[in-house]
Amino acid sequence: MSPRLSPNSPSGAHASGTDPRTWSDIFTTTIDAVPIECIRPNDTDRPVWCLYSPRCCRPEGYLGTLHARDTDGLWHVHTTGERHTSFAEAARTLRRLPA
């Protein structure tokens, strides 16, 4: 199976229905018709992903970092500390993603 797309990867607004601890380290998902590359930092096995514009894993393509918390079941946006009920909602708050 390709590590680029796991069957347990988030799929837009349905991302809250799967356990993020089972997601691949690298995958691509689409939120509101916008493809997003998600890469887990190599120094952790926690549910944390850096989001990038497709095929642009360089600083200019960086959208932000999200992580899931076991304590409250919410997705957290690293830069702002905002909490959201789904991966898709949290990803929408990152720059360059439509609302």
Side-chain angles (χ1 to χ4, degrees), residues 1 4 9-10 13-15 17 19-20 28-31 37 41 44 48 62 71 75-76 82 85-86 94-96:
M1 173 175 31
R4 304 296 285 173
S9 297
H14 305 293
D19 184 351
T28 301
T29 190
T30 301
I31 298 174
E37 300 240 9
T44 187
V48 176
Y62 177 71
T71 56
W75 283 92
H76 293 247
E82 293 178 51
T85 58
S86 73
L94 301 174
R95 64 177 188 230
R96 297 189 298 246

Side-chain angles (χ1 to χ4, degrees), residues 15-94:
S16 62
T18 62
D19 184 351
R21 293 173 294 183
T22 65
W23 296 356
S24 294
D25 292 340
I26 300 172
F27 62 89
T28 301
T29 190
T30 301
I31 298 174
D32 301 333
V34 178
I36 300 169
E37 300 240 9
C38 304
I39 301 172
R40 185 188 327 248
N42 66 358
D43 62 348
T44 187
D45 59 354
R46 303 181 116 195
V48 176
W49 286 270
C50 298
L51 279 58
Y52 293 89
S53 298
R55 296 176 297 280
C56 189
C57 295
R58 295 185 298 270
E60 62 271 12
Y62 177 71
L63 299 171
T65 302
L66 305 177
H67 71 275
R69 301 251 328 242
D70 290 336
T71 56
D72 59 12
L74 299 175
W75 283 92
H76 293 247
V77 179
H78 281 212
T79 55
T80 63
E82 293 178 51
R83 291 178 234 152
H84 299 275
T85 58
S86 73
F87 179 87
E89 287 178 20
R92 283 183 190 104
T93 67
L94 301 174

